[in-house]
Amino acid sequence: MSKKLRDTIVAYAFLAPFLIVFLMFLGYPVLYSFSLSLHKATLTTSWYDVFGDMTYCGPENYVKLLTQDKEFWHSLAATAAYAALSIPTGVCLSLALALLMHNRLPFVGFFRSAYFLPNVLDMLVVGIIWVLIYSPDYGLLDRVSNWAGLSFLPAEGLLGNPLTLLPAIAVAMILKGAGFGMVLFLTALQNIPESLYEAADIDGCTPWQKLRHVTLPLLKPIFFFMGVTGIMAALNAFTEIYAMTGGNGGPSTTFMGTTVRSGDLAGFFLFSHFQRGNYGYAAAISFVLLGLALVTTAAQMRILRSED
């Protein structure tokens, strides 16, 4: 036995525990979910004979989802709007905090911890807190606006109005996650060599020019990471929607002549079908969302490469 083959066998022997757990708890469920998406499986399906009792329908679930289900297209539109609201604003706020915390300010360690603290709180708890803040009857925001003599809030509250629901949820999630983005940007800023800034000073660059031509280009990996994770979070948004809409998806609105829930994002739409027992259809939704996530990630990578 050659040394290379022996080393390969030893390496796979060490990897075997992980591979077994991976195949058992992730690999098999993915394959089973794909098989499930090609079947009609409901609450009446016998789970003791999962493959024999399900009715095979081929790509019917996918065809129905993409060509007939207006609620699905509304969920994608709502998800795109939510992502457009939350991702750029969250990235800008995180970068601004990182640039501020990168300076030698008094008690900077305390402020860094304070900004990061909301990120470790449970999503459901954060959602409930913001429900109390947004409440039109006794919420902090309503009381402050009344005290200031302002009447810009809708009578039904920000979470009860179809036009303000998604922006209100986006604000809550941006403030929750800004601390995590701040840490990422701060770590990248601390790894930028000081010699680059010294060279820029010698060339007579202004602070804005140093930010634009030195700092921002070196932060591209963080921008890419936050963009990808932001898209994943938008596609999988469920807990915040569930907590801040009382589990019903928010107030009703119309989309292409169909009554829908204004907060019915893609992740919540998937949950609602799973909750109703439409397991095959829900599995099809999950794989369509997976495809969208892969496409958007590949597009981001291509854009970054073209800029380089």
Side-chain angles (χ1 to χ4, degrees), residues 130-178:
W130 279 95
V131 168
L132 298 176
I133 294 175
Y134 287 145
S135 174
D137 300 321
Y138 49 83
L140 177 63
L141 186 61
D142 185 71
R143 295 202 173 202
V144 170
S145 63
N146 291 336
W147 173 79
L150 303 176
S151 57
F152 62 92
L153 297 177
E156 64 273 22
L158 294 177
L159 299 178
N161 189 298
L163 297 177
T164 58
L165 174 67
L166 291 182
I169 297 176
V171 167
M173 295 303 105
I174 289 169
L175 295 179
K176 180 185 184 302

Side-chain angles (χ1 to χ4, degrees), residues 58 62 83 146 152 205 210 218 263 278:
Y62 293 95
N146 291 336
F152 62 92
C205 292
K210 287 191 288 185
L218 294 176
N278 301 326

Side-chain angles (χ1 to χ4, degrees), residues 94-103 182-194 197 211 215-216 218-219 222:
S94 298
L95 178 60
L97 289 175
L99 292 173
L100 182 62
M101 294 296 104
H102 189 52
N103 298 316
M182 176 198 71
V183 172
L184 294 178
F185 279 119
L186 192 58
T187 302
L189 286 171
Q190 292 173 344
N191 288 324
I192 297 177
E194 287 293 332
Y197 293 109
L211 175 66
T215 304
L216 295 182
L218 294 176
L219 296 179
I222 307 301

Side-chain angles (χ1 to χ4, degrees), residues 35-281:
S35 175
L36 187 63
S37 70
L38 302 176
H39 291 77
K40 288 184 178 180
T42 64
L43 285 172
T44 60
T45 301
S46 173
W47 297 108
Y48 297 98
D49 188 16
V50 289
F51 290 107
D53 193 49
M54 292 189 296
T55 303
Y56 179 78
C57 64
E60 182 180 328
N61 287 326
Y62 293 95
V63 173
K64 178 182 177 182
L65 180 67
L66 297 174
T67 61
Q68 302 177 23
D69 197 337
K70 295 180 181 179
E71 291 185 15
F72 171 69
W73 289 106
H74 167 262
S75 71
L76 291 184
T79 302
Y82 179 73
L85 288 170
S86 59
I87 296 176
T89 309
V91 170
C92 292
L93 179 59
S94 298
L95 178 60
L97 289 175
L99 292 173
L100 182 62
M101 294 296 104
H102 189 52
N103 298 316
R104 295 180 180 179
L105 301 174
F107 308 107
V108 67
F110 168 77
F111 288 110
R112 290 176 182 176
S113 301
Y115 287 131
F116 182 76
L117 183 61
N119 186 72
V120 303
L121 297 178
D122 184 77
M123 186 78 74
L124 185 63
V125 174
V126 172
I128 293 174
I129 292 174
W130 279 95
V131 168
L132 298 176
I133 294 175
Y134 287 145
S135 174
D137 300 321
Y138 49 83
L140 177 63
L141 186 61
D142 185 71
R143 295 202 173 202
V144 170
S145 63
N146 291 336
W147 173 79
L150 303 176
S151 57
F152 62 92
L153 297 177
E156 64 273 22
L158 294 177
L159 299 178
N161 189 298
L163 297 177
T164 58
L165 174 67
L166 291 182
I169 297 176
V171 167
M173 295 303 105
I174 289 169
L175 295 179
K176 180 185 184 302
F180 177 72
M182 176 198 71
V183 172
L184 294 178
F185 279 119
L186 192 58
T187 302
L189 286 171
Q190 292 173 344
N191 288 324
I192 297 177
E194 287 293 332
S195 58
L196 296 179
Y197 293 109
E198 293 173 358
D201 289 332
I202 293 174
D203 291 337
C205 292
T206 63
W208 165 247
Q209 290 174 327
K210 287 191 288 185
L211 175 66
R212 180 181 176 183
H213 298 290
V214 179
T215 304
L216 295 182
L218 294 176
L219 296 179
K220 278 187 179 180
I222 307 301
F223 285 116
F224 174 73
F225 176 80
M226 292 195 66
V228 171
T229 55
I231 292 173
M232 299 301 107
L235 287 173
N236 292 288
F238 163 72
T239 306
E240 58 268 40
I241 306 298
Y242 186 89
M244 300 181 71
T245 63
N248 60 12
S252 300
T253 185
T254 57
F255 179 80
M256 298 175 64
T258 303
T259 301
V260 294
R261 294 288 185 173
S262 54
D264 199 4
L265 272 64
F268 192 84
F269 178 73
L270 169 61
F271 163 78
S272 63
H273 276 280
F274 187 84
Q275 188 180 41
R276 297 174 205 161
N278 301 326
Y279 303 118
Y281 198 67

